[in-house]
Structure formats: C-alpha cells, structure tokens
C-alpha cells in the first residue's frame, strides 16, 4: 500500500477508506492517541491505537520523535480538536527514539539551543514552519518573475570579479597553502593556480546578470552569494541567497516599481499559501513578546504586518530628504544616535534606517539618490547635481525590523562616465573589459536590484535571527554540518 501524506488527508473528506500514513510521533497520550506529523503540513494527524489488540512491547516503543507507520481506517473523529483520525489496525516502527538520548524534548526549547542542534531542529514545529515558508517564498519569487517574462539566469559561483568592489571575498584555490608558489617579486603566483588566475566565490551575480539583460531583456538570478565580512549580527550571513533581477530599458522608477510589486506579491503569496505555518510563527512571536517590556513588543501581529505591506505603498524619498529628517529628529538633537548626523554625505547606519522606518514613517521606505562616494562604481551618476553633491540613481528598500532588504540602482550605461568613475575608484578596466564591452556595443539604460532572500524570510516568518531562516548558517567561526 502507498502512503498518503497528511496534508492530502486533511484536504479530503473522511470516507472510511483504508490508508497508510508515515511520520514522526509528536505526542502519545493515554497509550492510545498518537499525534503524527510527516512534515507535509503544520497539522498533526491523530492516530488512534487499538490498545487492547496491540503488542505491549510495540506500544512501549511509541515515543516522542520515533518514526512510525500506521495503517487503518480514516474516519470522522470522535474527539474534539480534529475533523478526522486514523483508527489504526497496524503500527510499524521504522526508527526508535530514546527520550533519554534525544536532544529535542516535547517542550519549548530556546532558539539558541536549537541552533546548536541545527541538524535536528527541522523536527520542531517552529523550524518546520520556517522552512516550509522559505520554500513557498522561493517558489513565489520564481512565479513572480516567470509570469512577467523574466528569464532565470545562472550566473557563476566561482568568479574572478569582485562585483561590489568591497573586497569581502572567499578565495578559491588549489594551490598548496603550506608551500605557495611565488613570482620573482615574491607575490603568490596565481598563474600556477587551477584557473591560472586568482579566483573567489561570487559576492553578487549582478555584473554577469547585466550581460544577460542586455540581450534577453529581463533576467533574474537566484543563487548563493558569499561575503567574508566579519559581521556577527542578526542580519548577516557569510553564505546567503540573493535574487537579482536586471531589466533593459528601465530607469530608477521602473526599478522601484518592480521591487515594490515583487515584495508585495511574495508577502501576499505567503498569506494565501502558508496560513497554518504563519499562525504557528505568529503564536511563537506573541509568546516571545510576553517576556518583553511593553515598549519593545511588536506593534503589529505577523499577519497584520504582512497585510500592511501588501496594502500600503512604500514611502519613497531621496537620501537628501532623509538626511534633513534625521538631522532634525529628536534622537539626533538629544544625542541619542551613536553616529550623530552632522550633514550631507554621511553613510546611514542601521540606527538611522530604523528611525526612518520604524519611528518616522512606520512603513517600508525606499531611499534613493545616495551620494556617489558611498555607493558602488556601476551606479548611474545623476544629471544636474550641485558640484560636490554628486548623487547616483541608487535605491535601498528598508523594512521594519530588518533594515535594508533590497539594494539596487539604475546602471551607468555611458561608457565614458563609467570608465572615468572606475579610474577614480581604482577599479582595473582590463579585468572588467567584458563588462565594458556591453557599454561599447549596443549599450542601453538598464536597472536592477538585489533582494537578500534570508532577510525576506526573516521578515515573513518574524524570526529575529537570520541564522534561524537558513538551514545551515555560515558565519564567522561556524561552518558546522
Ligand atoms: O546591497 P548589496 O550588497 O547589493 C548587491 O550586491 C548588488 N549587486 C545588488 C544588485 O543591484 N543586483 O546586497 C543586496 C542585498 C542587501 O540589500 C541585503 O538584503 C542582502 O543582499 N545582503 C545580505 N544578506 C545576508 N547576509 C549578508 N552578509 C548580506 N549582504 C547583503
Ligand atoms: Mg546594499
């Protein structure tokens, strides 16, 4: 007999048919009622044991965490709390689970503890919900772009370029670390390396994405990216997934419209398709909030927050306008910012972004037209800037509780402006000849952005630490599993 998944069972009417279910024991009461979960959905299925006619040695092995199969009639439930249940005639144990040894317990365990047992945490209701929602969001992103005629482009994971120019790269090499070959002047001789040049893991697929967009029109990437930044925060990973659309013949406004539509679409998708999992996560947050002082509690429930994002336009303003707001803000006047805002040109810290999003506007914010000096070389120089106040057509989307979730820009399509900028920023033109070729041959205005997938999953699930929304987090000092 083929097994039926619990998600499917719960969608059908109880028709007194015989079924086979397989899963893990979540609870076992009165030697009779098993709560079985198979991961296909948040809900458990109640399996009712025929205690009198079951071998006591087998009953003894039905423990929290054990993998079992149950065969029997699917009937309307006699008890409260569930619509259907299985009257088991046959139980099979696939894998015992010794409660003395099993690190997970049928009670609330801290996220920190579970992070240390990340290989088992999928078995908890919270993490199973997080990873089902993560899946749904990934699917929704592909659907969003596919429905709009974007092509999914696979950009390289190993590359010789540093797209962001931030130098936070993991080197990829097969050279012997204990005895590196050297050139005459003592430098490491990458000519003898696997690729005959220095290579690294990608920090972004954007530059390659632009090559695709300037032929295919609309593309997006969705892949792993790597940053060796020593950030031990709840928002940074050394390995994270990024979605990078790139659109030909688009400007900054088109770019903002696309990003806003995408974020609203995926939040709406989660509301429609992940209701049970969002409920589990919302209840977890409500519990967590009870332990906090009133003023630190979330102003909105998880699902209300998602609805708010879907239903309200994001606030759009320029960097210059934001600086004015921040300069005149109470925390700035009262010296409450760790980095006081003194004037135009300063990079915004997360305390400033949080003030704008969570206090001043209380909604998602799109900041545009940042000073050229604090942004990447490929961003388009704005026309008609005051001398000394050059800005670029950049945009960052800031979300409540998350900070920057999206970073993007219109790209510099004018060859001479681009090369001048690269020279000023000491970016070697020879190495990026292929990128510059798009500007030499059939260049056109284009724009794109990068969405940090884990930050999106954090926002939608309400998980406070980014390490809890990726299965096997990589961060400074940790590459377990
Ligand atoms: O702002 P970033 O660095 O932009 C780029 O990489 C551009 N090439 C994107 C583009 O225009 N195509 O990164 C984009 C987003 C950030 O807004 C943030 O959400 C996420 O990626 N991100 C990280 N997420 C987790 N851990 C990290 N260390 C991250 N660094 C960036
Ligand atoms: Mg950024």
């Amino acid at each position: 007999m083929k097994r039926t998944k619990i998600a499917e069972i719960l969608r059908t009417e109880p028709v007194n048919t015989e079924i086979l279910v397989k899963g893990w024991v979540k609870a076992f009461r009165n030697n009779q009622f098993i709560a079985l979960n198979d991961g296909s959905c948040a809900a458990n299925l109640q399996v009712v044991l025929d205690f009198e006619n079951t071998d006591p040695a087998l009953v003894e092995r039905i423990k929290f965490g054990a993998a079992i199969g149950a065969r029997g009639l699917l009937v309307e439930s006699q008890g409260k709390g569930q619509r259907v249940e299985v009257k088991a005639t046959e139980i099979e144990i696939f894998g015992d689970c010794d409660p003395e040894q099993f690190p997970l317990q049928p009670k609330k365990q801290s996220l920190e503890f579970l992070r240390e047992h990340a290989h088992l945490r999928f078995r908890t209701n919270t993490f199973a919900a997080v990873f089902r929602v993560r899946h749904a969001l990934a699917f929704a992103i592909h659907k969003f772009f596919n429905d709009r005629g974007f092509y999914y482009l696979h950009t390289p994971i190993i590359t010789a370029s540093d797209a962001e120019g931030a130098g936070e790269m993991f080197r990829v090499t097969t050279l012997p670390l204990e005895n590196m070959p050297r050139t005459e002047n003592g430098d490491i001789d990458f000519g003898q390396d696997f690729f005959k040049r220095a290579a690294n893991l990608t920090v972004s697929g954007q530059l390659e994405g632009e090559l695709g967009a300037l032929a295919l029109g609309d593309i997006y990437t969705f892949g792993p990216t790597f940053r060796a930044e020593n950030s031990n925060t709840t928002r940074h990973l050394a390995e994270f997934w990024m979605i990078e659309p790139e659109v030909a013949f688009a400007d900054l406004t088109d770019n903002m419209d696309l990003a806003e539509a995408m974020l609203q679409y995926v939040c709406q998708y989660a509301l429609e398709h992940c209701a049970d999992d969002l409920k589990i996560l919302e209840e977890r947050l409500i519990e967590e909030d009870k332990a906090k002082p009133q003023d630190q509690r979330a102003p909105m429930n998880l699902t209300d927050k998602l609805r708010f994002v879907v239903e309200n336009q994001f606030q759009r303003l320029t960097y210059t306008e934001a600086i004015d707001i921040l300069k005149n803000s109470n925390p700035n006047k009262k010296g409450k910012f760790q980095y006081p805002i003194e004037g135009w040109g300063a990079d915004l810290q997360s305390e400033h972004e949080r003030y704008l999003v969570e206090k001043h506007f209380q909604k998602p914010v799109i900041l545009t037209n940042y000073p050229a000096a604090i942004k990447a070389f490929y961003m388009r120089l704005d026309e008609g800037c005051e001398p000394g106040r050059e800005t670029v057509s950049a945009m960052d989307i800031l979300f409540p509780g998350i900070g920057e979730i999206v970073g993007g820009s219109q790209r510099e399509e004018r060859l001479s402006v681009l090369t001048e900028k690269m020279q000023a920023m000491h970016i070697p033109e020879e190495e990026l000849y292929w990128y510059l070729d798009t500007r030499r041959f059939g260049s056109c205005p284009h724009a794109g952005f990068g969405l940090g997938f884990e930050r999106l999953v954090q926002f939608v699930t309400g998980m406070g630490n980014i390490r809890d929304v990726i299965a096997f987090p990589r961060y400074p000092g940790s590459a377990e599993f």
Side-chain angles (χ1 to χ4, degrees), residues 21-213:
V21 287
K22 295 177 181 178
W24 293 269
V25 175
K26 285 282 170 175
F28 186 32
R29 331 179 256 117
N30 300 348
N31 273 345
Q32 205 184 355
F33 302 107
I34 303 169
L36 194 70
N37 189 284
D38 68 1
S40 61
C41 59
N44 301 328
L45 180 68
Q46 174 150 289
V47 175
V48 187
L49 207 66
D50 181 2
F51 179 61
E52 316 266 276
N53 297 310
T54 312
D55 177 4
L58 193 138
V59 176
E60 192 47 39
R61 291 169 64 196
I62 302 174
K63 297 279 191 226
F64 173 74
I68 69 163
R71 194 172 165 144
L73 274 192
L74 180 67
V75 297
E76 202 170 316
S77 178
Q78 310 294 302
K80 278 192 234 123
Q82 63 278 321
R83 202 165 54 88
V84 291
E85 62 191 23
V86 177
K87 271 176 105 135
T89 46
E90 213 180 295
I91 296 281
E92 184 181 353
I93 311 269
F94 297 113
D96 288 289
C97 189
D98 180 355
E100 302 287 307
Q101 304 285 325
F102 192 35
L104 302 188
Q105 298 294 316
K107 59 164 194 190
K108 204 170 152 34
Q109 287 175 299
S110 76
L111 294 175
E112 290 74 21
F113 174 85
L114 293 172
R115 214 170 290 142
E116 283 162 20
H117 296 81
H119 55 303
L120 294 172
R121 65 182 178 172
F122 298 103
R123 296 270 193 94
T124 65
N125 295 343
T126 297
F127 282 95
V130 165
F131 289 107
R132 278 189 297 264
V133 172
R134 183 180 165 113
H135 161 80
L137 290 171
F139 182 79
I141 283 165
H142 284 299
K143 184 158 164 51
F144 175 85
F145 286 115
N146 183 64
D147 288 354
R148 281 158 188 75
F150 282 67
Y151 296 109
Y152 179 23
L153 185 71
H154 294 98
T155 49
I157 292 179
I158 301 175
T159 170
S161 92
D162 175 7
E164 291 306 296
E168 294 160 335
M169 298 173 299
F170 288 102
R171 169 102 347 124
V172 176
T173 179
T174 53
L175 290 177
L177 294 179
E178 59 294 342
N179 182 23
M180 293 295 241
R182 302 272 166 184
T183 61
E184 273 170 18
N185 57 23
D187 296 338
I188 294 171
D189 185 6
F190 285 107
Q192 295 188 44
D193 204 348
F194 188 91
F195 299 108
K196 299 213 182 311
R197 61 187 303 172
N200 53 270
L201 294 177
T202 185
V203 295
S204 156
Q206 178 198 319
L207 302 193
E208 293 89 347
E210 286 185 49
L211 311 183

Side-chain angles (χ1 to χ4, degrees), residues 252 255-256 314-326 346-349 352-357 361 363-371 374-375 379 392-399 403-404 406-409:
L252 186 64
N255 206 27
M256 289 191 280
F314 298 1
Q315 183 71 44
R316 299 181 184 188
L317 72 159
T318 64
Y319 165 90
T320 305
E321 289 163 342
I323 285 290
D324 276 344
I325 293 173
L326 289 166
D347 206 353
L348 299 183
Q349 304 296 326
H352 308 130
E353 298 180 343
R354 296 191 70 146
Y355 174 81
L356 290 170
V357 174
F361 291 111
K363 52 154 67 177
V365 166
I366 312 184
L367 281 186
T368 62
N369 309 92
Y370 283 77
I374 59 172
K375 288 289 185 188
M379 297 189 179
V392 284
S393 291
M395 62 139 188
D396 276 6
I397 304 190
L398 314 176
F399 259 32
E404 181 191 333
V406 161
S409 70

